[in-house]
Amino acid sequence: MEKTFLMVKPDGVQRGLIGEIVKRFEQKGFQLVGSKLMVITREQAEYHYEEHKGKGFYEELVSFITSGPVFGMVWEGDQVITLSRTMMGKTNTLDALPGTIRGDFAVHTGLNIIHGSDSPESAEREINNFFKPEEIVSYSKDVNKWV
Ligand code: DAT
Ligand code: MG
């Protein structure tokens, strides 16, 4: 079973979208196995966005993601990494289709509401950056056989 790291960014928290976003992933059939409201440190943010270091938007990105509380989550399910990226919508908000989270709620690429891991490697790296092992809960739900 795959796990991914999803995060409601500071703009999503400020706009009251935590519940809406959790609802979408629950309704899809994924299982929440960890979550936390937190203000992330500069070190965590730099590690998280290491691949973007040196790009024009990097400084703005790090200061944005550390500017207020975020809601970090670990979700579990078959193909959850790829399927949650589809549910999020494209990075560039001009390409984010209606029906996706970014398509429905975001206007600007820099204020795009949600982060999601893009590969199994980044999921593991990102989960470890924000969660201790004991903060991830393992449990089963009978309904999963219908999902
Ligand atoms: P994603 O968040 O879809 O994985 P990414 O990893 O390429 O996208 O970029 C990380 C974040 O950086 C993205 O959510 C918003 C911001 N960003 C990316 N490209 C940008 C750009 N051209 N201008 C401004 N912000 C950008
Ligand atoms: Mg990314």
Side-chain angles (χ1 to χ4, degrees), residues 43-73:
E43 290 67 36
Q44 282 175 311
E46 286 181 353
Y47 182 76
H48 182 68
Y49 283 129
E50 202 170 62
E51 64 178 306
H52 299 301
K53 201 171 168 109
K55 295 182 186 168
F57 58 84
Y58 175 78
E59 283 305 328
E60 206 175 334
L61 180 60
V62 170
S63 70
F64 163 62
I65 209 69
T66 56
S67 66
V70 299
F71 190 65
M73 299 165 282

CSV table of all heavy atoms in Angstrom, one decimal, residues 43-73:
chain,number,residue,atom,x,y,z
A,43,GLU,N,14.5,25.4,7.8
A,43,GLU,CA,15.4,24.2,7.4
A,43,GLU,C,14.5,23.2,6.7
A,43,GLU,O,14.9,22.6,5.7
A,43,GLU,CB,16.0,23.6,8.7
A,43,GLU,CG,17.1,24.5,9.3
A,43,GLU,CD,16.6,25.8,9.9
A,43,GLU,OE1,15.5,25.8,10.5
A,43,GLU,OE2,17.4,26.8,9.7
A,44,GLN,N,13.3,22.9,7.3
A,44,GLN,CA,12.4,21.9,6.7
A,44,GLN,C,11.9,22.4,5.3
A,44,GLN,O,11.8,21.6,4.4
A,44,GLN,CB,11.1,21.8,7.6
A,44,GLN,CG,11.3,20.9,8.8
A,44,GLN,CD,10.1,20.8,9.7
A,44,GLN,OE1,9.5,21.9,10.0
A,44,GLN,NE2,9.7,19.7,10.1
A,45,ALA,N,11.7,23.7,5.2
A,45,ALA,CA,11.2,24.2,3.9
A,45,ALA,C,12.3,24.1,2.8
A,45,ALA,O,12.1,23.7,1.7
A,45,ALA,CB,10.8,25.7,4.1
A,46,GLU,N,13.6,24.4,3.2
A,46,GLU,CA,14.7,24.3,2.3
A,46,GLU,C,14.9,22.9,1.8
A,46,GLU,O,15.2,22.6,0.7
A,46,GLU,CB,15.9,24.9,2.9
A,46,GLU,CG,15.9,26.5,2.9
A,46,GLU,CD,17.1,27.1,3.5
A,46,GLU,OE1,18.0,26.3,4.0
A,46,GLU,OE2,17.2,28.3,3.5
A,47,TYR,N,14.8,22.0,2.8
A,47,TYR,CA,15.0,20.5,2.4
A,47,TYR,C,13.8,20.1,1.5
A,47,TYR,O,14.0,19.4,0.5
A,47,TYR,CB,15.0,19.7,3.7
A,47,TYR,CG,15.2,18.2,3.5
A,47,TYR,CD1,16.4,17.7,3.2
A,47,TYR,CD2,14.1,17.4,3.7
A,47,TYR,CE1,16.6,16.3,3.0
A,47,TYR,CE2,14.3,16.0,3.5
A,47,TYR,CZ,15.5,15.5,3.2
A,47,TYR,OH,15.7,14.1,3.0
A,48,HIS,N,12.6,20.5,1.9
A,48,HIS,CA,11.4,20.1,1.1
A,48,HIS,C,11.5,20.6,-0.3
A,48,HIS,O,11.1,19.9,-1.3
A,48,HIS,CB,10.2,20.7,1.8
A,48,HIS,CG,8.9,20.4,1.1
A,48,HIS,ND1,8.4,19.1,1.2
A,48,HIS,CD2,8.0,21.2,0.4
A,48,HIS,CE1,7.2,19.1,0.5
A,48,HIS,NE2,7.0,20.3,0.0
A,49,TYR,N,12.0,21.8,-0.5
A,49,TYR,CA,12.0,22.4,-1.9
A,49,TYR,C,13.4,22.5,-2.5
A,49,TYR,O,13.7,23.3,-3.3
A,49,TYR,CB,11.4,23.8,-1.9
A,49,TYR,CG,9.9,23.8,-1.8
A,49,TYR,CD1,9.1,24.5,-0.9
A,49,TYR,CD2,9.1,23.0,-2.7
A,49,TYR,CE1,7.7,24.5,-0.8
A,49,TYR,CE2,7.7,23.0,-2.7
A,49,TYR,CZ,7.1,23.8,-1.8
A,49,TYR,OH,5.7,23.7,-1.8
A,50,GLU,N,14.3,21.6,-2.0
A,50,GLU,CA,15.7,21.5,-2.4
A,50,GLU,C,15.8,21.5,-4.0
A,50,GLU,O,16.7,22.2,-4.5
A,50,GLU,CB,16.3,20.3,-1.9
A,50,GLU,CG,17.8,20.3,-1.8
A,50,GLU,CD,18.3,19.1,-1.0
A,50,GLU,OE1,18.1,18.0,-1.4
A,50,GLU,OE2,18.9,19.4,0.1
A,51,GLU,N,14.9,20.8,-4.6
A,51,GLU,CA,15.0,20.6,-6.1
A,51,GLU,C,14.8,22.0,-6.8
A,51,GLU,O,15.2,22.1,-8.0
A,51,GLU,CB,14.0,19.6,-6.6
A,51,GLU,CG,12.6,20.1,-6.4
A,51,GLU,CD,11.5,19.1,-7.0
A,51,GLU,OE1,11.6,18.7,-8.2
A,51,GLU,OE2,10.6,18.7,-6.2
A,52,HIS,N,14.3,23.0,-6.1
A,52,HIS,CA,14.0,24.3,-6.8
A,52,HIS,C,15.0,25.3,-6.4
A,52,HIS,O,14.9,26.5,-6.8
A,52,HIS,CB,12.6,24.7,-6.4
A,52,HIS,CG,11.5,23.8,-6.9
A,52,HIS,ND1,11.3,23.4,-8.2
A,52,HIS,CD2,10.6,23.1,-6.2
A,52,HIS,CE1,10.3,22.6,-8.3
A,52,HIS,NE2,9.9,22.3,-7.1
A,53,LYS,N,16.0,25.0,-5.6
A,53,LYS,CA,17.0,26.0,-5.1
A,53,LYS,C,17.6,26.6,-6.4
A,53,LYS,O,18.0,25.9,-7.3
A,53,LYS,CB,18.0,25.3,-4.3
A,53,LYS,CG,18.8,26.3,-3.4
A,53,LYS,CD,19.7,25.5,-2.4
A,53,LYS,CE,20.6,26.6,-1.8
A,53,LYS,NZ,20.3,26.9,-0.4
A,54,GLY,N,17.8,27.9,-6.4
A,54,GLY,CA,18.4,28.6,-7.5
A,54,GLY,C,17.4,29.1,-8.5
A,54,GLY,O,17.7,30.0,-9.4
A,55,LYS,N,16.2,28.6,-8.5
A,55,LYS,CA,15.2,29.1,-9.5
A,55,LYS,C,14.6,30.4,-9.0
A,55,LYS,O,14.7,30.8,-7.8
A,55,LYS,CB,14.0,28.1,-9.6
A,55,LYS,CG,14.4,26.8,-10.2
A,55,LYS,CD,13.3,25.8,-10.3
A,55,LYS,CE,13.8,24.4,-10.8
A,55,LYS,NZ,12.7,23.4,-10.7
A,56,GLY,N,14.1,31.2,-9.9
A,56,GLY,CA,13.6,32.6,-9.7
A,56,GLY,C,12.6,32.6,-8.6
A,56,GLY,O,12.5,33.6,-7.8
A,57,PHE,N,11.8,31.6,-8.4
A,57,PHE,CA,10.7,31.7,-7.5
A,57,PHE,C,11.0,31.1,-6.1
A,57,PHE,O,10.2,31.0,-5.2
A,57,PHE,CB,9.4,31.0,-8.0
A,57,PHE,CG,9.6,29.6,-8.4
A,57,PHE,CD1,9.5,28.5,-7.5
A,57,PHE,CD2,9.9,29.2,-9.7
A,57,PHE,CE1,9.6,27.2,-7.8
A,57,PHE,CE2,10.0,27.9,-10.1
A,57,PHE,CZ,9.9,26.9,-9.1
A,58,TYR,N,12.3,30.6,-6.0
A,58,TYR,CA,12.6,29.8,-4.8
A,58,TYR,C,12.5,30.5,-3.5
A,58,TYR,O,11.9,30.1,-2.5
A,58,TYR,CB,14.1,29.2,-5.0
A,58,TYR,CG,14.6,28.5,-3.7
A,58,TYR,CD1,14.2,27.2,-3.4
A,58,TYR,CD2,15.5,29.2,-2.9
A,58,TYR,CE1,14.7,26.6,-2.3
A,58,TYR,CE2,15.9,28.5,-1.7
A,58,TYR,CZ,15.5,27.2,-1.5
A,58,TYR,OH,16.0,26.6,-0.4
A,59,GLU,N,13.1,31.8,-3.4
A,59,GLU,CA,13.0,32.5,-2.2
A,59,GLU,C,11.6,32.8,-1.7
A,59,GLU,O,11.2,32.7,-0.6
A,59,GLU,CB,13.9,33.8,-2.3
A,59,GLU,CG,15.4,33.6,-2.2
A,59,GLU,CD,15.8,32.9,-0.9
A,59,GLU,OE1,15.2,33.0,0.1
A,59,GLU,OE2,16.8,32.1,-1.0
A,60,GLU,N,10.8,33.2,-2.7
A,60,GLU,CA,9.4,33.6,-2.5
A,60,GLU,C,8.7,32.3,-2.0
A,60,GLU,O,7.8,32.4,-1.1
A,60,GLU,CB,8.8,34.1,-3.8
A,60,GLU,CG,7.6,35.0,-3.6
A,60,GLU,CD,7.1,35.5,-4.9
A,60,GLU,OE1,7.9,35.6,-5.8
A,60,GLU,OE2,5.9,35.9,-4.9
A,61,LEU,N,9.0,31.2,-2.6
A,61,LEU,CA,8.4,29.9,-2.2
A,61,LEU,C,8.7,29.5,-0.8
A,61,LEU,O,7.8,29.1,0.0
A,61,LEU,CB,8.9,28.8,-3.2
A,61,LEU,CG,8.4,27.4,-3.1
A,61,LEU,CD1,6.9,27.3,-3.2
A,61,LEU,CD2,9.1,26.5,-4.1
A,62,VAL,N,10.0,29.6,-0.4
A,62,VAL,CA,10.3,29.2,1.0
A,62,VAL,C,9.7,30.2,2.0
A,62,VAL,O,9.2,29.8,3.0
A,62,VAL,CB,11.9,29.2,1.1
A,62,VAL,CG1,12.3,29.1,2.6
A,62,VAL,CG2,12.4,28.0,0.3
A,63,SER,N,9.7,31.5,1.7
A,63,SER,CA,9.1,32.4,2.6
A,63,SER,C,7.6,32.3,2.7
A,63,SER,O,7.0,32.3,3.8
A,63,SER,CB,9.5,33.9,2.4
A,63,SER,OG,9.0,34.4,1.2
A,64,PHE,N,7.0,31.9,1.6
A,64,PHE,CA,5.5,31.7,1.6
A,64,PHE,C,5.2,30.4,2.4
A,64,PHE,O,4.3,30.5,3.3
A,64,PHE,CB,5.0,31.5,0.2
A,64,PHE,CG,3.7,30.8,0.1
A,64,PHE,CD1,2.5,31.4,0.6
A,64,PHE,CD2,3.5,29.6,-0.6
A,64,PHE,CE1,1.3,30.8,0.5
A,64,PHE,CE2,2.3,29.0,-0.7
A,64,PHE,CZ,1.2,29.6,-0.2
A,65,ILE,N,5.9,29.4,2.2
A,65,ILE,CA,5.5,28.1,2.9
A,65,ILE,C,5.8,28.1,4.4
A,65,ILE,O,5.2,27.4,5.2
A,65,ILE,CB,6.2,26.9,2.2
A,65,ILE,CG1,5.4,25.6,2.3
A,65,ILE,CG2,7.7,26.7,2.7
A,65,ILE,CD1,4.1,25.6,1.6
A,66,THR,N,6.7,29.1,4.8
A,66,THR,CA,7.0,29.2,6.3
A,66,THR,C,6.2,30.4,6.9
A,66,THR,O,6.4,30.7,8.0
A,66,THR,CB,8.5,29.5,6.5
A,66,THR,OG1,8.9,30.6,5.7
A,66,THR,CG2,9.3,28.2,6.1
A,67,SER,N,5.3,31.0,6.1
A,67,SER,CA,4.7,32.3,6.5
A,67,SER,C,3.5,32.1,7.5
A,67,SER,O,3.0,33.0,8.1
A,67,SER,CB,4.2,33.0,5.3
A,67,SER,OG,3.1,32.3,4.7
A,68,GLY,N,3.1,30.8,7.7
A,68,GLY,CA,1.9,30.6,8.6
A,68,GLY,C,1.7,29.1,8.6
A,68,GLY,O,2.4,28.3,8.0
A,69,PRO,N,0.7,28.7,9.4
A,69,PRO,CA,0.4,27.3,9.6
A,69,PRO,C,0.1,26.6,8.3
A,69,PRO,O,-0.6,27.1,7.4
A,69,PRO,CB,-0.7,27.2,10.6
A,69,PRO,CG,-1.3,28.6,10.7
A,69,PRO,CD,-0.2,29.5,10.2
A,70,VAL,N,0.6,25.4,8.2
A,70,VAL,CA,0.2,24.5,7.1
A,70,VAL,C,-0.4,23.2,7.8
A,70,VAL,O,-0.2,23.0,8.9
A,70,VAL,CB,1.4,24.0,6.3
A,70,VAL,CG1,2.1,25.2,5.6
A,70,VAL,CG2,2.4,23.2,7.1
A,71,PHE,N,-1.2,22.5,7.0
A,71,PHE,CA,-1.8,21.2,7.5
A,71,PHE,C,-1.2,20.1,6.7
A,71,PHE,O,-1.5,19.8,5.6
A,71,PHE,CB,-3.3,21.3,7.3
A,71,PHE,CG,-4.0,20.2,8.1
A,71,PHE,CD1,-4.0,20.1,9.5
A,71,PHE,CD2,-4.7,19.2,7.4
A,71,PHE,CE1,-4.6,19.1,10.1
A,71,PHE,CE2,-5.3,18.1,8.1
A,71,PHE,CZ,-5.3,18.1,9.4
A,72,GLY,N,-0.3,19.4,7.4
A,72,GLY,CA,0.5,18.3,6.8
A,72,GLY,C,-0.3,17.0,7.0
A,72,GLY,O,-0.9,16.8,8.1
A,73,MET,N,-0.3,16.1,6.0
A,73,MET,CA,-1.1,14.9,6.1
A,73,MET,C,-0.3,13.8,5.4
A,73,MET,O,0.4,14.0,4.4
A,73,MET,CB,-2.4,15.0,5.4
A,73,MET,CG,-3.4,16.1,5.9
A,73,MET,SD,-4.7,16.4,4.7
A,73,MET,CE,-3.8,17.4,3.5
